[in-house]
Amino acid sequence: MIKYSVIGTSWITKSFIDGASLVNELSLDGVFSRTRERGEEFANEVGAKRVFTSLEELISSDTQLVYVASPNSCHYEQCKALLTAKKHVICEKPITVTAQEFNELCQLSEENGVVYFEAIMYMHNPARNLLKEAVKKIGTVRSASIDFSQLSSKYPALKRGELPNIFNPEMKTGALNDLGIYCVYPVIDLFGLPEKIIPAQHFLSSGADGCGSAVFKYNDKMVTITYSKVGQSRSPSQIMGDEGTVTIGSISQTDEIYLFNNKGEKTLIKADEDKKILMGNEARNAVEFILYPEKTKEFLKECHEMNEKVLLCMERMRVKND
């Protein structure tokens, strides 16, 4: 049995715990919170055995695996401390802000013989392979449009003059880090690194990016991605080939995938799926990485390589417009 603890008490942490409950080899140990009151409230809600109010307490405990869902600005330092203490780490996206930070922590994890990877549903979802197979069936792809635009529940607070964490640039948050990353993953996975990226972002009064877009230019195709936390999309993403089109209803969950031929006839490739199952995929792979390192080392390496490529692209997309 692998004892795991969580850093953070938000809805995403609760979602991971729900998913991890599907994995028999995992046992929820503790919750790290800045305040004991909130930590105890959350621990009672999810069934955790104890509460940590300092990183030092967590590090000195016998917890073996830690799920990190703190503000983005905390990821690097917290993960570094945990890996140094030889704790396995799953970190919410973006795992770090820069590829340099990520590579440093990957090296640290290898030196200490522990697992370190990003909690991104796309890489751990079996539907990833279904999408790749579907794209092979639509002929030559010349263009695609990938979108994840989801109106933030915190946006009204920003409009009232408040500063929620998700719109606070000091927290390394904003639309690209929160939503745009879900668009970059499948683009790089399906088509590789582009020859050129042409980015554009709109910045809010807080200084955080509220929405943005980027054109990924290849020698034989052009892929456009769009993302927003200040508006709600109602259209699917689509990949267009000369023999058909693939649409994806939710790019973050890689579901509601349809294959259309040029007559307009459609075939369901992947229906929607409960997020509990999707988060469970991440938790299950963590167990596989820990218990069966030789069997899973190639997939973990693939995850790291993809992660580095995505972070490099996001660095190129992170611009201030004139």
Side-chain angles (χ1 to χ4, degrees):
M1 186 67 68
I2 297 171
K3 296 170 66 174
Y4 81 96
S5 292
V6 297
I7 294 181
T9 56
S10 67
W11 67 269
I12 191 66
T13 310
K14 176 65 165 56
S15 295
F16 179 81
I17 293 171
D18 288 344
S21 70
L22 302 175
V23 184
N24 294 331
E25 296 88 346
L26 288 175
S27 174
L28 177 59
D29 181 23
V31 171
F32 171 85
S33 175
R34 289 172 297 176
T35 66
R36 182 159 296 278
E37 180 181 13
R38 175 54 183 152
E40 290 179 349
E41 178 186 6
F42 190 76
N44 289 333
E45 180 185 349
V46 300
K49 298 179 179 65
R50 51 182 167 172
V51 174
F52 307 105
T53 56
S54 73
L55 193 60
E56 290 72 22
E57 283 183 79
L58 175 55
I59 285 172
S60 63
S61 75
D62 60 352
T63 279
Q64 299 159 277
L65 168 68
V66 180
Y67 170 76
V68 178
S70 54
N72 298 342
S73 58
C74 301
H75 287 182
Y76 171 76
E77 292 296 341
Q78 289 179 341
C79 290
K80 184 175 182 179
L82 292 165
L83 294 170
T84 300
K86 298 186 177 181
K87 306 289 187 187
H88 302 289
V89 174
I90 311 172
C91 185
E92 261 304 323
K93 50 78 192 167
I95 193 166
T96 58
V97 177
T98 69
Q100 180 178 345
E101 291 175 338
F102 173 68
N103 288 329
E104 177 188 334
L105 295 188
C106 280
Q107 180 63 36
L108 182 61
S109 69
E110 291 176 10
E111 291 171 357
N112 286 315
V114 289
V115 169
Y116 170 62
F117 70 99
E118 184 174 60
I120 184 81
M121 288 184 289
Y122 178 80
M123 287 299 294
H124 304 279
N125 188 344
R128 172 193 175 205
N129 292 324
L130 296 178
L131 175 61
K132 294 171 82 169
E133 288 303 312
V135 171
K136 291 178 182 178
K137 297 176 181 178
I138 59 172
T140 302
V141 174
R142 297 299 185 192
S143 63
S145 56
I146 309 297
D147 175 79
F148 190 13
S149 297
Q150 182 172 281
L151 182 62
S152 172
S153 62
K154 303 295 184 182
Y155 187 49
L158 181 71
K159 293 172 72 175
R160 292 194 300 267
E162 301 170 26
L163 186 57
N165 280 349
I166 197 63
F167 292 117
N168 184 349
E170 291 187 4
M171 297 292 181
K172 307 298 182 184
T173 52
L176 175 58
N177 283 346
D178 194 44
L179 302 183
I181 187 171
Y182 286 111
C183 300
V184 178
Y185 258 98
V187 172
I188 302 305
D189 194 33
L190 293 170
F191 308 119
L193 288 170
E195 295 182 347
K196 185 176 183 180
I197 298 177
I198 306 171
Q201 292 175 284
H202 173 70
F203 291 87
L204 303 171
S205 58
S206 66
D209 58 313
C211 59
S213 65
V215 176
F216 283 49
K217 295 190 70 174
Y218 297 83
N219 63 1
D220 61 347
K221 68 179 65 69
M222 182 174 71
V223 179
T224 302
I225 74 168
T226 50
Y227 53 92
S228 175
K229 291 188 69 66
V230 295
Q232 184 69 47
S233 175
R234 305 294 178 185
S235 300
S237 297
Q238 56 182 340
I239 300 166
M240 294 162 279
D242 56 10
E243 296 179 15
T245 300
V246 171
T247 65
I248 310 105
S250 172
I251 201 65
S252 64
Q253 298 186 180
T254 324
D255 61 18
E256 299 178 54
I257 303 173
Y258 286 91
L259 172 62
F260 290 79
N261 63 25
N262 284 341
K263 295 179 180 179
E265 299 165 337
K266 69 178 182 179
T267 302
L268 176 64
I269 302 298
K270 180 68 172 63
D272 60 350
E273 193 161 38
D274 192 302
K275 193 166 185 179
K276 181 176 181 177
I277 295 174
L278 298 174
M279 299 295 276
N281 292 334
E282 298 174 355
R284 186 171 292 103
N285 280 347
V287 168
E288 295 285 318
F289 290 150
I290 293 168
L291 296 183
Y292 310 106
E294 285 303 311
K295 177 182 175 182
T296 59
K297 65 180 180 180
E298 288 304 315
F299 179 51
L300 181 58
K301 179 182 177 183
E302 182 183 8
C303 289
H304 285 168
E305 290 174 348
M306 276 289 296
N307 212 155
E308 180 185 25
K309 291 174 183 177
V310 167
L311 287 171
L312 287 170
C313 287
M314 289 174 63
E315 288 180 43
R316 293 163 67 183
M317 294 167 64
R318 207 171 278 125
V319 298
K320 284 284 186 180
N321 301 326
D322 294 333

